[in-house]
Amino acid sequence: MTDRHIEVSLDKRDVRCTAKLLDDRAPVTCQAVWDALPLGGDVYHAKYARNEIYALLPTFALQEPPLENPTITPIPGDLCYFTFSGTELATKAYGYGAPQQETVVDLALFYERNNLLLNADVGYVPGIVWGQVVDGLDRMAEACQDLWRAGALGETLSFRRV
């Protein structure tokens, strides 16, 4: 199979990076994301995982992917896929309010090291590593730091085919 690539962007900040899909390690997840592209939504900066930005999306796969290529210690440039039930994210600690969907998909980009997917409420939260940034991570990491310091309001995280 030929390598597949996507563009990940912070639209308001006009910053983009390119990621390679890890079809050999997470084929079911990669195909589900690829088939649903383009995807995007309001961006959030992680409270618990550390150096992570993400968008919460309605489910888009016919069946949620299995936990393939899992990690609890994502590295810089990892794209991760998480699935959460609406009740998991409805507590006031997260700040989202009650999600409208039964299930929510979290597509995340990790931009720096020393991440640990440990949530004080539930313990370890493994994610599926389905992509790896191959170009533009430095620019994206700078924009993510700006997002952390200046705020995420009005910013969108988008995923598109290259």
Side-chain angles (χ1 to χ4, degrees):
M1 176 182 250
T2 305
D3 289 343
R4 296 190 287 182
H5 292 83
I6 64 167
E7 176 185 89
V8 181
S9 62
L10 287 170
D11 299 323
K12 184 177 171 183
R13 286 170 171 78
D14 195 29
V15 177
R16 294 158 175 36
C17 61
T18 302
K20 176 186 170 192
L21 272 62
L22 302 177
D23 285 300
D24 59 330
R25 296 180 185 187
V28 176
T29 307
C30 288
Q31 193 61 52
V33 172
W34 186 259
D35 289 346
L37 293 174
L39 293 165
D42 292 341
V43 69
Y44 298 92
H45 196 289
K47 283 182 165 182
Y48 301 107
R50 200 151 179 190
N51 300 299
E52 171 195 3
I53 61 168
Y54 60 97
L56 298 175
L57 307 167
T59 59
F60 49 80
L62 294 176
Q63 183 175 346
E64 283 306 303
L67 188 58
E68 53 185 359
N69 199 31
T71 189
I72 58 166
T73 55
I75 62 172
D78 276 353
L79 298 180
C80 288
Y81 182 110
F82 304 88
T83 303
F84 298 105
S85 71
T87 57
E88 287 177 284
L89 300 181
T91 67
K92 289 186 179 186
Y94 300 115
Y96 307 122
Q100 300 299 312
Q101 304 88 336
E102 185 84 15
T103 302
V104 176
V105 171
D106 170 337
L107 290 185
L109 164 67
F110 290 84
Y111 63 88
E112 188 50 81
R113 49 181 295 190
N114 296 327
N115 303 296
L116 179 61
L117 301 179
L118 178 61
N119 180 305
D121 295 333
V122 297
Y124 291 110
V125 182
I128 301 168
V129 182
W130 60 275
Q132 178 65 46
V133 173
V134 294
D135 183 52
L137 184 58
D138 290 346
R139 292 184 308 277
M140 183 59 79
E142 286 177 22
C144 292
Q145 281 294 329
D146 181 63
L147 186 91
W148 174 250
R149 302 276 297 148
L153 195 59
E155 183 62 86
T156 303
L157 178 62
S158 296
F159 302 83
R160 297 175 188 87
R161 292 182 187 183
V162 171

